[in-house]
Amino acid sequence: MPRTDVSMSGAPDGTYARIYAAVRRIPKGRVASYGQVATLAGLAGHARQVGYALHRLPSATAVPWHRVVDAQGRIAKRAYPEDGMLQRMLLEREGVGFAAAGQVDLTRFAWKPARRAAQRR
DNA sequence: GCAATGACGCTCT
DNA sequence: CAGAGCGCCATTG
């Protein structure tokens, strides 16, 4: 059962739905860490669930999973390196630059959402 | 229903 | 500075 389908149409009581919603808020050309996404999703401290949720995302998802990196701005270590390469490619295509160490320049691309926003009100 | 696993994060050693 | 461990919680077998 592909929970990949956020069939929570209008009933975002699902943890995934919240995470996906938060990820979708990440502006193009910016990146957010798992913990950040978790916080925005109202699941502060549950960074793991964020990664888990994204892991289950299908390739045809509308969620910009590639904009989600770890707290250090690096691409999460995936089972298949090619996927990580893909993520990097997608980010670079959006204008996100990478450091030699293979991590995003958080000083310039880290997404800083307006706190009152969090779009919650 | 219990045990193990997992795209992380933070702290301690 | 680097490595290891614990926590967090949902999903799966």
Side-chain angles (χ1 to χ4, degrees):
Chain A
M1 58 340 247
R3 301 250 178 310
T4 51
D5 176 39
V6 190
S7 33
M8 314 285 180
S9 318
D13 56 353
T15 307
Y16 287 170
R18 295 172 103 166
I19 294 172
Y20 298 149
V23 176
R24 282 184 194 170
R25 293 182 186 122
I26 304 175
K28 185 164 134 192
R30 294 266 173 72
V31 296
S33 67
Y34 289 85
Q36 204 172 351
V37 172
T39 301
L40 290 169
L43 301 168
H46 305 171
R48 271 194 157 177
Q49 273 51 296
V50 176
Y52 201 70
L54 293 178
H55 169 61
R56 294 180 47 59
L57 277 173
S59 51
T61 183
V63 180
W65 59 272
H66 55 270
R67 288 178 196 152
V68 183
V69 295
D70 62 33
Q72 298 161 39
R74 293 188 234 165
I75 294 173
K77 193 116 177 184
R78 279 239 338 69
Y80 296 91
E82 56 184 17
D83 290 336
M85 292 287 105
L86 172 63
Q87 180 170 4
R88 176 170 176 162
M89 181 189 82
L90 290 169
L91 288 174
E92 291 185 311
R93 201 168 78 178
E94 294 186 347
V96 177
F98 280 77
Q103 47 185 91
V104 177
D105 200 327
L106 294 177
T107 60
R108 302 187 309 179
F109 303 110
W111 177 42
K112 299 159 190 174
R115 50 191 112 105
R116 68 172 118 104
Q119 317 307 308
R120 295 309 256 125
R121 68 185 307 293

